[in-house]
């Protein structure tokens, strides 16, 4: 009886394995056959790519499998954020900056449910703009999540920007947001929308700098069916129509071609649009908030931006300061993001060691608040104890700290220092039998600092291991 039971169980296992193998092969065959680039991830690590993805990205499967999807597509923490929040997107306009090229894509992300948790990975689909109009649906992308309570900062510059933005929100006038990339221009745009009378109407955003010139007018004003190859037969609503009654956020307007600027000026003056391929005039009621990281005055002098369009947009100007110009807000923002990421990891927020805090304040922050957020997300995962240490920050932060630690030595002194330091490292490795961790502890260094010095002096720790 026992023999029959074991045989039946074995047959069931073999049958299940065979069925699973058939399903898996069907899945792979389907994935290969679809014309849309697709990447399957486990967590944020890519595990499967299809032929269309290899063709679109110009990489072979073995060059992508195993890599972090954010690192591969240079999207900072976009996909990891979706995974953490169990969020999905559909045909989001994005610019993917691959090595030596830009790809303009509609990006869709579907979460893969896990048997014992919310999600275990994602299906990422990338649609080249060649196919974008056939599949694009942005009608649901009309929400503004941020308010003025979302803006973190006590510096006088930030308080002044917020004050003017709140005044602008209480009017229906056009607003121009000026600031470097990563300062939070869309955050301000959403806050202005949510603070005004149009808060219950759509908020629609478009990044004009991320679209090819040939697509901008169709995206802004829409098109009639059959207007061009690849267009939807039923036509397509533009952003102005989608934003009817609400707010249209024109991001990176400084990158807009001059001929498109003429069309925008006409819309702002007459409050009416004409779809591409149509002669029918459509009245629109839309509040405009525009943003740019360019020096607009210089762009006007260089004939890259129309002066009359600038005057139309520049009823209210909000200058959003760069992070380097409001260093007093750095600890506040850093702790804000630490608390945010710590809560998602169900852990107590760590504090900063004096060396780490000094390095944060000394950094130039070329990526502004967006860079700070990414640095904090990285640090929270690397920190081992109750403190964020200097070595939990990116390497370029260490160099600032080391350079400021002491005045630059003379060439003679530098030679002595190099010889002395090199000798101390060799002695520590010898005493530790080539164990880098023990040698680092004896020298009062962390492993990374010691490895950098080993590379600097050309020291191979394996030469000190016993045989």
């Amino acid at each position: 009886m026992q023999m029959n039971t074991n045989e039946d169980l074995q047959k069931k296992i073999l049958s299940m394995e065979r069925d699973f193998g058939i399903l898996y092969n069907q899945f792979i065959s389907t994935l290969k056959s679809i014309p849309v680039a697709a990447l399957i991830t486990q967590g944020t690590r890519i595990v499967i790519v299809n032929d269309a993805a290899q063709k679109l990205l110009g990489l072979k499967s073995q060059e992508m499998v195993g890599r972090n999807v954010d690192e591969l597509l240079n999207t900072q923490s976009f996909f990891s954020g979706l995974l953490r929040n169990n969020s999905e997107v559909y045909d989001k306009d994005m610019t993917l900056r691959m090595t030596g090229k830009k790809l303009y894509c509609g990006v869709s992300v579907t979460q893969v449910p896990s048997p014992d948790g919310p999600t275990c990975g994602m299906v990422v689909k990338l649609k080249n703009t060649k196919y974008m109009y056939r599949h694009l649906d942005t009608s649901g992308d009309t929400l503004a999540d941020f308010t003025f309570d979302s803006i973190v900062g006590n510096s006088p510059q930030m308080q002044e920007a917020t004050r003017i933005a709140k005044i602008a929100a209480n009017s229906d006038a056009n607003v121009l947001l000026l600031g470097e990339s990563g300062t939070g221009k869309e955050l301000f745009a959403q806050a202005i929308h949510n603070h005004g009378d149009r808060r219950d109407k759509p908020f629609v955003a478009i990044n004009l700098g991320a679209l090819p010139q040939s697509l901008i007018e169709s995206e802004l004003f829409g098109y009639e069916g059959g207007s061009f190859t690849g267009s939807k037969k039923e036509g397509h609503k533009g952003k102005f129509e989608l934003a009817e009654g609400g707010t249209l956020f024109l991001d990176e307007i400084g990158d807009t071609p001059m001929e498109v600027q003429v069309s925008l000026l006409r819309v702002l003056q007459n409050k009416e649009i004409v779809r591409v391929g149509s002669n029918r005039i459509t009245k629109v009621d839309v509040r405009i908030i525009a943003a740019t990281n360019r020096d607009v005055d210089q762009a006007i002098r260089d004939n890259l931006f129309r002066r009359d369009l600038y005057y139309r947009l520049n009823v209210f100007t909000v200058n959003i300061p760069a992070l380097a110009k409001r260093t007093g807000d750095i600890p506040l923002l850093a702790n804000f993001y630490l608390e945010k990421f710590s809560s998602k990891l169900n852990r107590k927020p760590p504090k900063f060691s004096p060396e780490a805090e000094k390095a944060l304040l000394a950094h130039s922050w070329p990526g502004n608040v967006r860079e700070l957020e990414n640095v904090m997300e990285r640090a929270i995962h690397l920190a081992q104890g109750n403190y964020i240490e200097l070595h939990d920050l990116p390497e370029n932060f260490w160099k600032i700290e080391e350079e400021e630690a002491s005045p630059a030595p003379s060439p003679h002194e530098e030679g002595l220092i190099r010889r002395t330091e090199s000798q101390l490292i060799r002695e520590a490795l010898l005493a530790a039998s080539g164990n880098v961790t023990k040698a680092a502890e004896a020298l009062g260094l962390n492993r990374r600092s010691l490895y950098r010095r080993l590379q600097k002096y050309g020291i191979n720790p394996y030469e000190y291991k016993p045989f």
Side-chain angles (χ1 to χ4, degrees):
M1 190 65 164
Q2 183 66 36
M3 179 74 71
N4 290 336
T5 301
N6 288 338
E7 288 178 355
D8 290 343
L9 180 60
Q10 187 66 27
K11 287 180 180 179
K12 286 182 179 180
I13 293 173
L14 290 172
S15 177
M16 289 174 64
E17 288 178 346
R18 183 174 57 82
D19 291 343
F20 175 80
I22 292 171
L23 285 172
Y24 180 78
N25 289 335
Q26 289 173 338
F27 164 71
I28 294 297
S29 297
T30 303
L31 186 67
K32 286 183 176 181
S33 67
I34 62 175
V36 177
L39 302 91
I40 314 296
T41 73
Q42 183 175 334
T44 55
R45 183 174 61 86
I46 299 169
V47 291
I48 300 174
V49 297
N50 70 350
D51 294 343
Q54 297 178 64
K55 183 177 180 180
L56 175 66
L57 301 178
L59 296 171
K60 295 185 182 300
S61 174
Q62 55 266 34
E63 297 177 274
M64 293 186 276
V65 171
R67 294 180 65 179
N68 181 291
V69 63
D70 279 314
E71 184 267 329
L72 174 71
L73 300 178
N74 197 20
T75 47
Q76 299 180 341
S77 57
F78 174 75
F79 291 103
S80 60
L82 291 177
L83 186 67
R84 280 196 311 273
N85 298 321
N86 194 22
S87 300
E88 298 184 344
V89 296
Y90 180 73
D91 278 331
K92 179 180 176 63
D93 294 352
M94 292 185 69
T95 304
L96 307 178
R97 290 173 171 81
M98 309 290 289
T99 304
K101 64 179 177 180
K102 290 183 181 180
L103 289 174
Y104 303 103
C105 291
V107 179
S108 299
V109 177
T110 303
Q111 300 290 342
V112 179
S114 171
D116 54 358
T119 57
C120 63
M122 299 172 285
V123 178
V124 178
K125 291 176 287 184
L126 309 174
K127 296 175 184 175
N128 197 331
T129 49
K130 179 179 179 182
Y131 308 106
M132 188 173 292
Y133 285 120
R134 196 168 297 159
H135 304 285
L136 188 61
D137 178 8
T138 55
S139 58
D141 187 20
T142 57
L143 299 176
D145 299 319
F146 298 111
T147 66
F148 284 112
D149 291 336
S150 308
I151 297 173
V152 179
N154 293 326
S155 64
Q157 302 96 318
M158 205 62 175
Q159 292 295 314
E160 177 64 8
T162 304
R163 183 185 73 83
I164 295 174
K166 286 181 177 179
I167 295 172
N170 290 322
S171 76
D172 209 32
N174 297 330
V175 180
L176 182 61
L177 305 175
L178 301 178
E180 296 177 6
S181 294
T183 50
K185 295 188 289 295
E186 182 161 359
L187 188 154
F188 266 85
Q190 292 192 20
I192 291 170
H193 171 80
N194 282 328
H195 197 72
D197 293 337
R198 296 175 182 258
R199 67 178 68 90
D200 296 325
K201 300 295 184 179
F203 175 89
V204 176
I206 179 172
N207 187 334
L208 298 171
L211 288 174
Q213 180 177 337
S214 60
L215 300 184
I216 293 178
E217 291 201 355
S218 299
E219 269 296 281
L220 285 173
F221 311 127
Y223 62 80
E224 291 298 319
S227 299
F228 50 85
T229 303
S231 61
K232 296 178 181 178
K233 63 179 181 180
E234 69 274 18
H236 174 77
K237 281 187 176 182
K239 301 298 186 184
F240 274 94
E241 290 181 79
L242 292 173
E244 176 63 26
T247 301
L248 177 58
F249 176 49
L250 303 174
D251 198 8
E252 304 302 351
I253 196 169
D255 296 335
T256 312
M258 291 294 278
E259 51 269 36
V260 177
Q261 292 181 32
V262 174
S263 299
L264 276 174
L265 180 63
R266 190 162 52 247
V267 174
L268 295 180
Q269 289 173 336
N270 302 329
K271 304 293 183 182
E272 56 190 31
I273 63 164
V274 177
R275 286 188 178 187
V276 174
S278 172
N279 295 319
R280 181 168 56 88
I281 295 174
T282 302
K283 286 287 186 181
V284 290
D285 173 25
V286 175
R287 198 260 179 92
I288 299 295
I289 301 177
T292 182
N293 57 15
R294 282 196 173 197
D295 181 336
V296 180
D297 290 331
Q298 185 61 49
I300 291 172
R301 288 193 293 271
D302 295 339
N303 294 318
L304 296 174
F305 200 81
R306 292 182 62 96
R307 189 179 298 274
D308 46 5
L309 177 59
Y310 172 65
Y311 289 145
R312 280 281 175 182
L313 295 170
N314 190 30
V315 180
F316 280 99
T317 300
V318 180
N319 288 286
I320 305 173
L323 188 55
K325 294 183 179 179
R326 54 180 183 117
T327 53
D329 287 338
I330 292 174
L332 186 67
L333 281 161
N335 283 296
F336 169 80
Y337 286 121
L338 281 187
E339 290 182 9
K340 170 185 171 182
F341 295 128
S342 296
S343 65
K344 292 178 179 178
L345 296 172
N346 294 317
R347 58 176 290 188
K348 182 180 178 182
K351 298 179 179 179
F352 293 101
S353 71
E355 295 79 14
E357 185 169 0
K358 183 179 178 183
L360 290 175
L361 293 172
H363 187 60
S364 60
W365 297 108
N368 290 293
V369 179
R370 187 183 297 130
E371 180 187 3
L372 176 61
E373 181 179 6
N374 292 336
V375 169
M376 290 303 99
E377 184 175 12
R378 176 185 189 274
I380 196 72
H381 287 287
L382 292 178
Q384 298 298 312
N386 296 323
Y387 285 88
I388 301 289
E389 301 290 350
L390 182 62
H391 60 263
D392 296 324
L393 303 177
E395 189 172 352
N396 55 323
F397 286 77
W398 311 347
K399 293 177 180 177
I400 293 173
E401 179 68 18
E402 290 172 356
E403 287 169 2
E404 294 184 351
S406 60
S410 67
H412 176 68
E413 290 172 330
E414 186 174 0
L416 290 174
I417 291 170
R418 288 174 65 90
R419 285 195 296 273
T420 303
E421 187 174 51
S422 174
Q423 184 59 35
L424 287 172
I425 290 172
R426 293 178 190 278
E427 291 174 359
L429 285 170
L430 184 62
S433 299
N435 187 309
V436 175
T437 301
K438 291 182 179 179
E441 291 175 355
L443 293 166
L445 300 171
N446 60 62
R447 280 170 53 89
R448 292 182 184 174
S449 295
L450 180 53
Y451 271 119
R452 285 191 289 109
R453 286 167 171 80
L454 293 175
Q455 185 176 12
K456 177 180 177 181
Y457 299 126
I459 300 173
N460 185 352
Y462 291 99
E463 293 178 359
Y464 297 86
K465 290 186 178 291
F467 293 99

mmCIF file of all heavy atoms in Angstrom, residues 363-386:
data_model
loop_
_atom_site.group_PDB
_atom_site.id
_atom_site.type_symbol
_atom_site.label_atom_id
_atom_site.label_comp_id
_atom_site.label_asym_id
_atom_site.label_seq_id
_atom_site.Cartn_x
_atom_site.Cartn_y
_atom_site.Cartn_z
ATOM 1 N N HIS A 363 28.912 68.904 0.273
ATOM 2 C CA HIS A 363 28.672 68.457 -1.107
ATOM 3 C C HIS A 363 27.991 69.556 -1.924
ATOM 4 O O HIS A 363 27.187 70.329 -1.400
ATOM 5 C CB HIS A 363 27.804 67.196 -1.087
ATOM 6 C CG HIS A 363 27.622 66.554 -2.424
ATOM 7 N ND1 HIS A 363 28.679 66.092 -3.168
ATOM 8 C CD2 HIS A 363 26.502 66.289 -3.153
ATOM 9 C CE1 HIS A 363 28.224 65.567 -4.298
ATOM 10 N NE2 HIS A 363 26.903 65.681 -4.317
ATOM 11 N N SER A 364 28.285 69.617 -3.214
ATOM 12 C CA SER A 364 27.736 70.681 -4.067
ATOM 13 C C SER A 364 26.326 70.388 -4.572
ATOM 14 O O SER A 364 25.651 71.267 -5.084
ATOM 15 C CB SER A 364 28.655 70.903 -5.282
ATOM 16 O OG SER A 364 28.769 69.714 -6.056
ATOM 17 N N TRP A 365 25.856 69.164 -4.498
ATOM 18 C CA TRP A 365 24.518 68.734 -4.868
ATOM 19 C C TRP A 365 24.107 69.190 -6.269
ATOM 20 O O TRP A 365 23.101 69.908 -6.435
ATOM 21 C CB TRP A 365 23.481 69.227 -3.841
ATOM 22 C CG TRP A 365 23.703 68.655 -2.487
ATOM 23 C CD1 TRP A 365 24.176 69.303 -1.390
ATOM 24 C CD2 TRP A 365 23.497 67.285 -2.087
ATOM 25 N NE1 TRP A 365 24.273 68.443 -0.328
ATOM 26 C CE2 TRP A 365 23.867 67.206 -0.715
ATOM 27 C CE3 TRP A 365 23.035 66.144 -2.751
ATOM 28 C CZ2 TRP A 365 23.791 66.009 -0.021
ATOM 29 C CZ3 TRP A 365 22.967 64.951 -2.044
ATOM 30 C CH2 TRP A 365 23.335 64.898 -0.694
ATOM 31 N N PRO A 366 24.827 68.764 -7.293
ATOM 32 C CA PRO A 366 24.442 69.145 -8.660
ATOM 33 C C PRO A 366 23.084 68.590 -9.068
ATOM 34 O O PRO A 366 22.416 69.150 -9.935
ATOM 35 C CB PRO A 366 25.563 68.562 -9.521
ATOM 36 C CG PRO A 366 26.150 67.455 -8.693
ATOM 37 C CD PRO A 366 26.046 67.932 -7.278
ATOM 38 N N GLY A 367 22.652 67.468 -8.462
ATOM 39 C CA GLY A 367 21.352 66.886 -8.767
ATOM 40 C C GLY A 367 20.241 67.362 -7.859
ATOM 41 O O GLY A 367 19.110 66.887 -7.946
ATOM 42 N N ASN A 368 20.581 68.292 -6.949
ATOM 43 C CA ASN A 368 19.614 68.926 -6.057
ATOM 44 C C ASN A 368 18.848 67.922 -5.193
ATOM 45 O O ASN A 368 19.418 66.920 -4.790
ATOM 46 C CB ASN A 368 18.670 69.812 -6.879
ATOM 47 C CG ASN A 368 19.400 71.034 -7.417
ATOM 48 O OD1 ASN A 368 19.817 71.892 -6.658
ATOM 49 N ND2 ASN A 368 19.569 71.098 -8.731
ATOM 50 N N VAL A 369 17.568 68.202 -4.922
ATOM 51 C CA VAL A 369 16.807 67.380 -3.978
ATOM 52 C C VAL A 369 16.662 65.953 -4.491
ATOM 53 O O VAL A 369 16.680 64.999 -3.713
ATOM 54 C CB VAL A 369 15.417 68.009 -3.725
ATOM 55 C CG1 VAL A 369 14.603 67.141 -2.768
ATOM 56 C CG2 VAL A 369 15.562 69.410 -3.152
ATOM 57 N N ARG A 370 16.546 65.783 -5.804
ATOM 58 C CA ARG A 370 16.437 64.434 -6.368
ATOM 59 C C ARG A 370 17.688 63.616 -6.036
ATOM 60 O O ARG A 370 17.599 62.435 -5.695
ATOM 61 C CB ARG A 370 16.247 64.517 -7.878
ATOM 62 C CG ARG A 370 15.964 63.173 -8.536
ATOM 63 C CD ARG A 370 15.849 63.317 -10.034
ATOM 64 N NE ARG A 370 14.733 64.172 -10.411
ATOM 65 C CZ ARG A 370 14.823 65.187 -11.268
ATOM 66 N NH1 ARG A 370 15.977 65.492 -11.815
ATOM 67 N NH2 ARG A 370 13.761 65.900 -11.570
ATOM 68 N N GLU A 371 18.857 64.235 -6.112
ATOM 69 C CA GLU A 371 20.103 63.539 -5.774
ATOM 70 C C GLU A 371 20.129 63.195 -4.296
ATOM 71 O O GLU A 371 20.527 62.084 -3.910
ATOM 72 C CB GLU A 371 21.308 64.409 -6.141
ATOM 73 C CG GLU A 371 22.643 63.750 -5.820
ATOM 74 C CD GLU A 371 23.839 64.679 -6.022
ATOM 75 O OE1 GLU A 371 23.632 65.861 -6.363
ATOM 76 O OE2 GLU A 371 24.981 64.220 -5.811
ATOM 77 N N LEU A 372 19.710 64.134 -3.448
ATOM 78 C CA LEU A 372 19.700 63.886 -2.003
ATOM 79 C C LEU A 372 18.791 62.709 -1.662
ATOM 80 O O LEU A 372 19.156 61.848 -0.843
ATOM 81 C CB LEU A 372 19.235 65.146 -1.273
ATOM 82 C CG LEU A 372 19.067 65.032 0.249
ATOM 83 C CD1 LEU A 372 20.392 64.678 0.922
ATOM 84 C CD2 LEU A 372 18.521 66.331 0.836
ATOM 85 N N GLU A 373 17.630 62.649 -2.283
ATOM 86 C CA GLU A 373 16.713 61.537 -2.030
ATOM 87 C C GLU A 373 17.360 60.200 -2.392
ATOM 88 O O GLU A 373 17.270 59.220 -1.640
ATOM 89 C CB GLU A 373 15.422 61.728 -2.830
ATOM 90 C CG GLU A 373 14.407 60.622 -2.606
ATOM 91 C CD GLU A 373 13.121 60.824 -3.387
ATOM 92 O OE1 GLU A 373 13.069 61.777 -4.200
ATOM 93 O OE2 GLU A 373 12.172 60.042 -3.184
ATOM 94 N N ASN A 374 18.041 60.146 -3.531
ATOM 95 C CA ASN A 374 18.688 58.899 -3.949
ATOM 96 C C ASN A 374 19.822 58.517 -3.016
ATOM 97 O O ASN A 374 20.016 57.329 -2.702
ATOM 98 C CB ASN A 374 19.211 59.053 -5.378
ATOM 99 C CG ASN A 374 18.094 59.172 -6.391
ATOM 100 O OD1 ASN A 374 16.986 58.719 -6.153
ATOM 101 N ND2 ASN A 374 18.366 59.803 -7.515
ATOM 102 N N VAL A 375 20.593 59.508 -2.563
ATOM 103 C CA VAL A 375 21.703 59.235 -1.637
ATOM 104 C C VAL A 375 21.174 58.680 -0.323
ATOM 105 O O VAL A 375 21.745 57.750 0.255
ATOM 106 C CB VAL A 375 22.537 60.523 -1.411
ATOM 107 C CG1 VAL A 375 23.514 60.329 -0.253
ATOM 108 C CG2 VAL A 375 23.307 60.882 -2.674
ATOM 109 N N MET A 376 20.050 59.233 0.155
ATOM 110 C CA MET A 376 19.484 58.756 1.417
ATOM 111 C C MET A 376 18.918 57.335 1.276
ATOM 112 O O MET A 376 19.042 56.519 2.188
ATOM 113 C CB MET A 376 18.384 59.711 1.889
ATOM 114 C CG MET A 376 18.899 61.072 2.359
ATOM 115 S SD MET A 376 20.108 60.955 3.704
ATOM 116 C CE MET A 376 21.658 61.110 2.814
ATOM 117 N N GLU A 377 18.310 57.050 0.126
ATOM 118 C CA GLU A 377 17.789 55.699 -0.087
ATOM 119 C C GLU A 377 18.925 54.686 -0.103
ATOM 120 O O GLU A 377 18.809 53.591 0.460
ATOM 121 C CB GLU A 377 17.002 55.633 -1.394
ATOM 122 C CG GLU A 377 16.348 54.278 -1.625
ATOM 123 C CD GLU A 377 15.468 54.248 -2.858
ATOM 124 O OE1 GLU A 377 15.537 55.207 -3.662
ATOM 125 O OE2 GLU A 377 14.718 53.274 -3.017
ATOM 126 N N ARG A 378 20.023 55.049 -0.717
ATOM 127 C CA ARG A 378 21.199 54.170 -0.744
ATOM 128 C C ARG A 378 21.752 53.979 0.659
ATOM 129 O O ARG A 378 22.071 52.869 1.084
ATOM 130 C CB ARG A 378 22.265 54.800 -1.656
ATOM 131 C CG ARG A 378 23.580 54.059 -1.730
ATOM 132 C CD ARG A 378 24.553 54.863 -2.576
ATOM 133 N NE ARG A 378 25.776 54.142 -2.868
ATOM 134 C CZ ARG A 378 26.847 54.116 -2.077
ATOM 135 N NH1 ARG A 378 26.819 54.771 -0.930
ATOM 136 N NH2 ARG A 378 27.931 53.448 -2.417
ATOM 137 N N ALA A 379 21.857 55.082 1.415
ATOM 138 C CA ALA A 379 22.468 55.032 2.740
ATOM 139 C C ALA A 379 21.661 54.177 3.703
ATOM 140 O O ALA A 379 22.234 53.435 4.523
ATOM 141 C CB ALA A 379 22.626 56.455 3.289
ATOM 142 N N ILE A 380 20.321 54.250 3.619
ATOM 143 C CA ILE A 380 19.493 53.503 4.562
ATOM 144 C C ILE A 380 19.671 52.002 4.380
ATOM 145 O O ILE A 380 19.559 51.217 5.323
ATOM 146 C CB ILE A 380 18.003 53.909 4.423
ATOM 147 C CG1 ILE A 380 17.196 53.442 5.639
ATOM 148 C CG2 ILE A 380 17.394 53.334 3.172
ATOM 149 C CD1 ILE A 380 17.475 54.193 6.880
ATOM 150 N N HIS A 381 19.994 51.583 3.164
ATOM 151 C CA HIS A 381 20.216 50.153 2.909
ATOM 152 C C HIS A 381 21.623 49.721 3.319
ATOM 153 O O HIS A 381 21.823 48.564 3.701
ATOM 154 C CB HIS A 381 19.989 49.842 1.428
ATOM 155 C CG HIS A 381 18.547 49.859 1.030
ATOM 156 N ND1 HIS A 381 17.657 48.868 1.378
ATOM 157 C CD2 HIS A 381 17.822 50.768 0.319
ATOM 158 C CE1 HIS A 381 16.462 49.146 0.895
ATOM 159 N NE2 HIS A 381 16.527 50.288 0.244
ATOM 160 N N LEU A 382 22.585 50.638 3.260
ATOM 161 C CA LEU A 382 23.970 50.285 3.588
ATOM 162 C C LEU A 382 24.279 50.389 5.076
ATOM 163 O O LEU A 382 25.162 49.698 5.573
ATOM 164 C CB LEU A 382 24.940 51.186 2.810
ATOM 165 C CG LEU A 382 24.986 50.990 1.289
ATOM 166 C CD1 LEU A 382 25.955 51.987 0.661
ATOM 167 C CD2 LEU A 382 25.408 49.568 0.938
ATOM 168 N N ALA A 383 23.556 51.269 5.782
ATOM 169 C CA ALA A 383 23.854 51.496 7.201
ATOM 170 C C ALA A 383 23.642 50.215 8.013
ATOM 171 O O ALA A 383 22.597 49.567 7.894
ATOM 172 C CB ALA A 383 22.996 52.621 7.741
ATOM 173 N N GLN A 384 24.611 49.874 8.840
ATOM 174 C CA GLN A 384 24.549 48.646 9.631
ATOM 175 C C GLN A 384 24.057 48.867 11.055
ATOM 176 O O GLN A 384 23.475 47.999 11.657
ATOM 177 C CB GLN A 384 25.934 47.986 9.672
ATOM 178 C CG GLN A 384 26.448 47.557 8.307
ATOM 179 C CD GLN A 384 25.560 46.518 7.649
ATOM 180 O OE1 GLN A 384 25.171 45.535 8.269
ATOM 181 N NE2 GLN A 384 25.204 46.746 6.388
ATOM 182 N N GLY A 385 24.303 50.040 11.599
ATOM 183 C CA GLY A 385 23.916 50.305 12.978
ATOM 184 C C GLY A 385 22.899 51.426 13.086
ATOM 185 O O GLY A 385 22.020 51.579 12.247
ATOM 186 N N ASN A 386 23.048 52.219 14.138
ATOM 187 C CA ASN A 386 22.118 53.312 14.405
ATOM 188 C C ASN A 386 22.555 54.618 13.765
ATOM 189 O O ASN A 386 21.916 55.650 13.988
ATOM 190 C CB ASN A 386 21.963 53.515 15.916
ATOM 191 C CG ASN A 386 21.340 52.305 16.591
ATOM 192 O OD1 ASN A 386 20.457 51.661 16.020
ATOM 193 N ND2 ASN A 386 21.797 51.984 17.792
#
